[in-house]
Amino acid sequence: MSLRLYLFIMSAMTAGCVLAFGYIILTIDPETTNNIGLVLFYLSLLLSIVGAAALSGFVVRFVFFRHELIITTVKTAFRQSFFFAGFIAAVLFLLSRNLLSWLNLSILIIGLSLLEFFLLSYGKNQQVNNNLNDKNYKIIKLP
């Protein structure tokens, strides 16, 4: 997939999610809705934030980190946009249930940070393993 096609599809899907989010805000009453309405609200919010954050994160990385490969920039921006959107949606959900406290917020931040560090170290470990497997080693047989 070319970068231009990725940006076009991501922009179109983000616009669709933002329109769906706007429609849900205008039509669903949070006081009288059931769980399906709340799931639709948070899901459309999550997808809207993921798209907007992925596009803006890619643009910022593309402008400031020109030495990185495009695919690395896209993958990093997309991964971090999921974390950011999940964080915002979780905070808003906890806030709506009056469960948001400094302790819950700290646990959420620490958990997402640990997940990001794990994924970074896992990716580097996979890269090292792939480099070791790609080398052509000669096997010497002893008589």
Side-chain angles (χ1 to χ4, degrees):
M1 176 184 297
S2 69
L3 180 63
R4 183 175 294 172
L5 182 62
Y6 166 76
L7 291 175
F8 175 74
I9 290 173
M10 196 69 169
S11 299
M13 292 297 125
T14 301
C17 289
V18 168
L19 289 174
F21 181 66
Y23 179 75
I24 289 171
I25 285 181
L26 293 176
T27 58
I28 293 179
D29 182 19
E31 299 290 328
T32 60
T33 190
N34 55 7
N35 288 337
I36 295 174
L38 292 176
V39 167
L40 288 175
F41 172 79
Y42 286 111
L43 185 64
S44 62
L45 172 69
L46 181 89
L47 292 176
S48 298
I49 294 174
V50 164
L55 287 172
S56 60
F58 169 73
V59 168
V60 167
R61 289 177 192 286
F62 186 73
V63 169
F64 290 114
F65 300 115
R66 290 199 169 263
H67 64 278
E68 290 185 8
L69 292 174
I70 298 290
I71 187 67
T72 306
T73 305
V74 168
K75 284 172 30 177
T76 304
F78 199 66
R79 181 186 70 238
Q80 289 180 348
S81 71
F82 266 104
F83 291 151
F84 178 69
F87 175 75
I88 296 296
V91 166
L92 289 176
F93 179 75
L94 290 172
L95 192 61
S96 73
R97 301 290 184 214
N98 291 326
L99 296 173
L100 186 64
S101 66
W102 286 106
L103 178 64
N104 289 342
L105 189 63
S106 301
I107 290 171
L108 187 61
I109 290 171
I110 290 170
L112 287 174
S113 299
L114 289 174
L115 183 61
E116 174 71 12
F117 290 139
F118 170 74
L119 290 175
L120 284 175
S121 66
Y122 180 75
K124 291 199 188 272
N125 192 18
Q126 285 295 103
Q127 192 176 31
V128 167
N129 286 341
N130 288 340
N131 287 341
L132 288 176
N133 291 335
D134 289 343
K135 304 259 186 205
N136 292 329
Y137 293 107
K138 292 184 180 180
I139 298 175
I140 301 172
K141 293 183 180 179
L142 296 175

